[in-house]
């Protein structure tokens, strides 16, 4: 990102957020706008494509705390009157070399390496370390979403993700030149991408107007990208989702983001996982949950019942005599996969079913049971405690 972009582009306005917006507010606004202006949703609409590039560029800067701070610092310094060339107010220029302030000299107070020198090296002569225009730059991080079935989230899977973003023009491979031709070194800046102007008490370095800061001049531009060397493109990657992911979890895939510039490394890809609900099983951390109906006699007399498991083989669970409805039992090792390779448990909750239709024999048996337990009142203790309050 050049200093000129920092000063001329209002990234907060591009994302429709305030300058004090939180990271979550910035992300929420970006995702909303990205869906609205995505090229796949606006085929053949160059204005939508340009808007998508604008909001992507803004998000790449504001989503990174370090780059956002540099952007805010630059706009605060120059947007609030901190910089005024001679003849535009003030004392008619600085009485010192700005290279001492923004460069790597002893006057810098920005820490080792000179943060302001890196930030403003594209503007002030002597600032920065070798010039930011020619240094490799890491590609932007990219965020996307993937929806998994309940089974795939538990066992892990490989998904295909289609990513759309700005990268090297596929026609000219990023050179900006028409096929069969090559760019030439800019004669105005000798390939540095910058020119300097002597303004008396200080020198102002700015992007070369001849090559627009690239250091190269394209005599016969590529018709696909008009000589910029950049274009919107789509690519499909295979991403491995580990076993045991949960709904809403964010997976980081190193080096799968936007490609770097000038030989810089690619950024990272962040995949937000959404898991569809299962009709039978639920999740509680690394454990699976299931609700199982049992009969009145199974709960009262005890029984060994078969319980479904996610992997298809039923699990045997022993229900002791006198089990109340709602009690939970644990089948160890039948849950979700943990990061250490072990499995969580299957939590089985029993629900005692009340018979709806009774034949004569069953009714007679229940009436006999009622007569045999007539002296017991399960609500006696409850009523007693209620009278004491």
């Amino acid at each position: 990102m050049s200093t000129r972009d920092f000063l001329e582009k209002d990234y907060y306005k591009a994302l429709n957020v305030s300058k004090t917006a939180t990271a979550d507010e910035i992300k929420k606004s970006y995702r909303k706008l990205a869906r609205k202006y995505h090229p796949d949703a606006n085929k053949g609409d160059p204005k939508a494509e340009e808007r998508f590039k604008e909001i992507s560029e803004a998000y790449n800067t504001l989503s990174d705390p370090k780059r956002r701070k540099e952007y805010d610092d630059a706009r605060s310094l120059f947007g609030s009157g901190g910089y005024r060339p001679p003849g535009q107010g003030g004392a008619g220029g600085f009485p010192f070399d700005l290279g001492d302030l923004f460069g790597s000299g002893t006057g810098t107070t920005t820490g080792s390496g000179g943060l302001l020198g890196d930030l403003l090296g594209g503007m002030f002569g002597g600032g920065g370390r070798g010039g930011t225009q020619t240094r490799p730059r890491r590609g932007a991080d990219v965020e996307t979403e993937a929806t998994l079935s309940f089974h795939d989230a538990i066992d892990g899977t490989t998904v295909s993700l289609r990513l759309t973003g700005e990268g090297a023009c596929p026609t000219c491979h990023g050179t900006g030149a028409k096929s069969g031709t090559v760019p030439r070194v800019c004669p105005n800046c000798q390939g540095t991408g910058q020119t300097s102007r002597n303004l008396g008490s200080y020198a102002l370095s700015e992007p070369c107007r001849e090559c627009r800061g690239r250091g190269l001049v394209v005599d016969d531009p590529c018709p696909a990208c008009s000589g910029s060397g950049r274009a919107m493109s789509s690519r499909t990657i295979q991403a491995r989702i580990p076993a045991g992911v949960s709904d809403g979890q964010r997976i980081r895939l190193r080096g799968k983001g936007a490609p770097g510039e000038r030989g810089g490394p690619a950024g990272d890809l962040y995949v937000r996982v959404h898991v569809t609900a299962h009709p039978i099983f639920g999740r509680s951390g690394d454990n699976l949950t299931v609700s199982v109906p049992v009969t009145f006699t199974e709960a009262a007399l005890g029984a060994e019942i078969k319980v479904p498991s996610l992997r298809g083989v039923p699990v045997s669970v022993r229900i002791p005599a006198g089990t109340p409805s709602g009690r939970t039992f644990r089948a160890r090792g039948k849950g979700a996969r943990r990061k250490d390779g072990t499995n969580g448990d299957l939590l089985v909750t029993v629900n005692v079913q009340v018979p709806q239709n009774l034949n004569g024999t069953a009714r007679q048996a229940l009436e006999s049971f009622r007569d045999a337990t007539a002296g017991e009142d399960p609500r006696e203790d409850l009523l007693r405690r209620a009278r004491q309050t």
Side-chain angles (χ1 to χ4, degrees):
M1 186 60 56
S2 68
T3 306
R4 187 172 185 175
D5 287 335
F6 276 1
L7 300 181
E8 293 183 354
K9 297 183 179 181
D10 189 340
Y11 291 144
Y12 293 102
K13 182 177 180 181
L15 292 178
N16 294 335
V17 296
S18 67
K19 293 182 180 180
T20 58
T22 64
D24 288 340
E25 290 173 339
I26 290 173
K27 181 185 295 184
K28 182 178 180 181
S29 181
Y30 162 72
R31 293 171 66 177
K32 178 181 178 181
L33 293 172
R35 285 193 293 267
K36 180 178 180 181
Y37 292 103
H38 197 284
D40 289 348
N42 301 271
K43 295 186 181 297
D45 187 346
K47 291 184 178 180
E49 181 176 332
E50 188 65 27
R51 180 75 171 107
F52 181 77
K53 290 169 61 179
E54 178 187 15
I55 62 179
S56 297
E57 179 180 323
Y59 181 69
N60 286 340
T61 295
L62 299 185
S63 62
D64 185 321
K66 179 180 178 182
R67 295 175 68 184
R68 181 180 181 183
K69 183 178 185 304
E70 293 176 351
Y71 172 74
D72 290 341
D73 288 345
R75 290 181 65 84
S76 174
L77 178 61
F78 292 101
S80 61
Y83 159 67
R84 294 181 183 274
Q88 295 187 19
F94 296 104
F96 50 82
D97 186 355
L98 288 180
D100 293 337
L101 175 61
F102 298 111
S104 56
T106 58
T108 180
T109 59
T110 59
S112 62
L115 175 59
L116 282 178
D118 286 337
L119 174 61
L120 304 175
M123 174 162 288
F124 293 100
R129 293 165 290 177
T132 59
Q133 291 293 329
T134 57
R135 286 166 45 191
R137 189 171 72 180
R138 178 181 180 275
D141 292 337
V142 178
E143 182 166 335
T144 188
E145 299 179 342
T147 300
L148 307 181
S149 69
F150 195 88
H151 280 270
D152 286 342
I154 297 299
D155 296 332
T157 186
T158 299
V159 297
S160 295
L161 301 174
R162 185 169 182 266
L163 306 176
T164 300
E166 189 181 64
C169 172
T171 303
C172 65
H173 306 290
T175 67
K178 187 177 180 180
S179 178
T181 67
V182 293
R184 57 185 173 89
V185 175
C186 176
N188 189 44
C189 66
Q190 304 301 317
T192 64
Q194 305 219 352
T195 57
S196 297
R197 285 192 293 161
N198 189 348
L199 299 179
S201 58
Y202 63 92
L204 177 65
S205 182
E206 61 185 2
C208 175
R209 296 184 180 182
E210 185 73 19
C211 64
R212 298 182 180 179
R214 293 188 66 196
L216 300 172
V217 175
V218 177
D219 295 317
D220 198 356
C222 167
C225 66
S226 301
S228 69
R230 310 292 289 176
M232 296 298 295
S233 61
S234 297
R235 58 192 173 103
T236 300
I237 67 169
Q238 302 298 313
R240 179 63 188 174
I241 306 298
V245 296
S246 57
D247 185 55
Q249 187 171 340
R250 196 167 179 247
I251 307 298
R252 180 185 183 185
L253 303 176
R254 296 181 182 273
K256 297 295 185 179
E261 296 183 19
R262 298 183 291 276
D268 298 333
L269 173 64
Y270 291 89
V271 182
R272 181 75 66 179
V273 176
H274 301 284
V275 181
T276 58
H278 194 280
I280 296 176
F281 298 98
R283 282 282 296 274
S284 178
D286 295 325
N287 299 322
L288 299 182
T289 62
V290 64
S291 181
V292 178
V294 296
T295 66
F296 173 77
T297 53
E298 288 174 331
L301 303 178
E304 186 170 307
I305 63 174
K306 294 292 185 181
V307 176
S309 70
L310 186 66
R311 296 174 178 85
V313 180
V315 177
S316 295
V317 175
R318 179 66 187 175
I319 305 297
T323 295
S325 184
R327 174 168 292 180
T328 298
F329 299 90
R330 185 182 299 267
R332 298 192 179 278
K334 302 300 181 180
R337 184 70 54 84
R338 299 190 181 103
K339 291 182 179 180
D340 61 2
T342 62
N343 291 333
D345 302 329
L346 176 63
L347 305 181
V348 181
T349 301
V350 297
N351 291 317
V352 178
Q353 301 296 296
V354 177
Q356 300 296 313
N357 298 305
L358 298 174
N359 56 32
T361 302
R363 177 174 291 278
Q364 184 178 5
L366 284 177
E367 289 175 347
S368 298
F369 174 79
R370 180 191 61 193
D371 295 339
T373 58
E376 299 179 6
D377 186 354
R379 295 170 293 279
E380 182 178 355
D381 182 63
L382 177 66
L383 293 172
R384 179 183 58 78
R385 287 186 294 161
R387 288 192 298 268
Q388 293 175 352
T389 59

